[in-house]
Amino acid sequence: MKSETINRLEFLKITLIGGAAAAGLRMSSKSAASAKSSPSAEHRWAMVIDQEKCNGCEYCILACRANN
């Protein structure tokens, strides 16, 4: 019976491919879970703030937290 040896470069290739596949599966399962849990998953909302008019009251932060 012949034992096969694997060199370092082949090992790294296999490891990187496996890691990329695992990361891809993890990302796809997270996106599927978030799509199921959020009714507005197809929308991404943002708030635009004019920094010239900012006086530091942090009301924009409170408004963002209240809506989300």
Side-chain angles (χ1 to χ4, degrees), residues 2-61:
K2 182 181 174 186
S3 67
E4 293 187 32
T5 59
I6 187 168
N7 65 16
R8 185 173 26 199
L9 182 60
E10 290 173 353
F11 174 77
L12 289 174
K13 285 181 186 178
I14 293 169
T15 305
L16 287 173
I17 290 170
L25 287 173
R26 194 168 191 188
M27 291 298 291
S28 66
S29 67
K30 282 185 179 179
S31 65
S34 66
K36 290 178 184 175
S37 64
S38 176
S40 63
E42 68 267 0
H43 295 99
R44 296 204 45 139
W45 302 99
M47 185 167 37
V48 179
I49 300 167
D50 186 4
Q51 294 291 317
E52 295 290 323
K53 296 179 181 178
C54 178
N55 62 4
C57 69
E58 297 182 358
Y59 185 73
C60 56
I61 296 171

